[in-house]
Amino acid sequence: GESVGLHLPTLSVQEGDNSIINCAYSNSASDYFIWYKQESGKGPQFIIDIRSNMDKRQGQRVTVLLNKTVKHLSLQIAATQPGDSAVYFCAENIEGAQKLVFGQGTRLTINP
Amino acid sequence: GAVVSQHPSWVICKSGTSVKIECRSLDFQATTMFWYRQFPKQSLMLMATSNEGSKATYEQGVEKDKFLINHASLTLSTLTVTSAHPEDSSFYICSLWSRAPPRSWGYTFGSGTRLTVV
C-alpha cells in the first residue's frame, strides 16, 4: 500500500548466505508486483516481477514469492554478495490503473 | 533495455527560486510518466501521473501549482518546483511507462535528482 514515511527496516546477512526480504501489500486489486533495488543516490533498478496469476518466479539468484491470500510478497536472494547491499522496495500495480505504489523498503547489508 | 535520462542529477537553489527537472526517454515512446519524491531513509512517494498531451493527475496532498508537470511529447517530461523552500529538498525521480512495443507493460526509472534548497 502507500508508504507513509516510515523509516526503513534493516536486514543484515553474512556474505554467501541467503536473504529473504518481505513485503505486505494492502490492495487486493493489485495484480502486478515488482521488486526494485536502490543504491544510494540512484534511481530504482528492476530486479524481478510477478503477476497475480503466479505464486513464484525465479531469476538469476533471485526468487519472488507471492501469497495473495495474505497479501504478502517476498524476495529471496541466494548466495548474497557485497554488491547486493542496497535498499529493496516492493511495488504494486493495481489492476486497471497505471501507477506503481511503493512499499516501505528494507535496507539489506551484506557482512563480509 | 529502455534508457531514461534525468537531469540535473543534483541541484542547489536559493529559497524562493524555481527549479526545472527533465526526464527524457532515449529509446522508446513513453505513454505515461510518473514523478516520485523520496525523503532520506523513506520510500518513494508518487507525486503525479502525466499522459502525453494532457494535464497531470496529482496525488492527494501534492500542490499542483507548486509542482508543475509538463509532458509535451512522448519522450520528454519536466517537473518544475516553483518558489522552492527548504522543505522541498528531496530526491525526485521520474518513471516512464509504455504500453507500446518494444516496451510493453514496463516501468523505467530515471537516475534521480537531488534537490537542495538553501
Side-chain angles (χ1 to χ4, degrees), chain B residues 28 31 33 36 44 46 50 52 59-61 63-64 77 88 95 102 105 115:
Chain B
F28 73 104
T31 308
M33 294 186 177
Y36 292 84
L44 284 74
L46 181 65
S50 71
E52 185 262 341
E59 295 297 304
Q60 189 173 5
E63 302 174 59
K64 63 179 181 180
S77 177
D88 298 323
S95 174
W105 196 251
L115 170 64

Side-chain angles (χ1 to χ4, degrees), chain A residues 44-93:
Chain A
Q45 175 188 351
F46 174 91
I47 301 174
I48 192 168
D49 60 358
I50 189 168
R51 296 192 181 279
S52 59
N53 60 352
M54 303 172 69
D55 53 21
K56 180 179 180 179
R57 191 162 187 229
Q58 289 184 290
Q60 186 177 13
R61 284 203 304 121
V62 294
T63 301
V64 54
L65 299 178
L66 174 62
N67 186 329
K68 295 181 289 294
T69 302
V70 295
K71 296 201 283 286
H72 183 268
L73 198 66
S74 69
L75 174 70
Q76 300 176 4
I77 305 175
T80 53
Q81 304 167 357
D84 294 330
S85 292
V87 178
Y88 290 81
F89 293 98
C90 67
E92 61 184 296
N93 174 256

Side-chain angles (χ1 to χ4, degrees), chain A residues 3 5-8 32 36 38 41-44 51 89 93 98-100 102-104, chain B residues 32 34 36 38 41-46 49 51 59 91 93 97 105 107 109-111:
Chain A
S3 171
L6 300 174
H7 289 280
L8 299 172
Y32 178 56
Y36 287 96
Q38 186 182 30
K42 298 183 179 179
R51 296 192 181 279
F89 293 98
N93 174 256
Q98 294 171 326
K99 65 183 181 181
L100 205 57
F102 279 75
Q104 180 181 18
Chain B
T32 305
F34 306 92
Y36 292 84
Q38 185 178 32
K41 298 184 179 181
Q42 294 185 16
S43 187
L44 284 74
M45 298 292 292
L46 181 65
T49 302
N51 293 296
E59 295 297 304
F91 193 54
I93 309 170
W97 180 84
W105 196 251
Y107 301 87
F109 285 83
S111 55

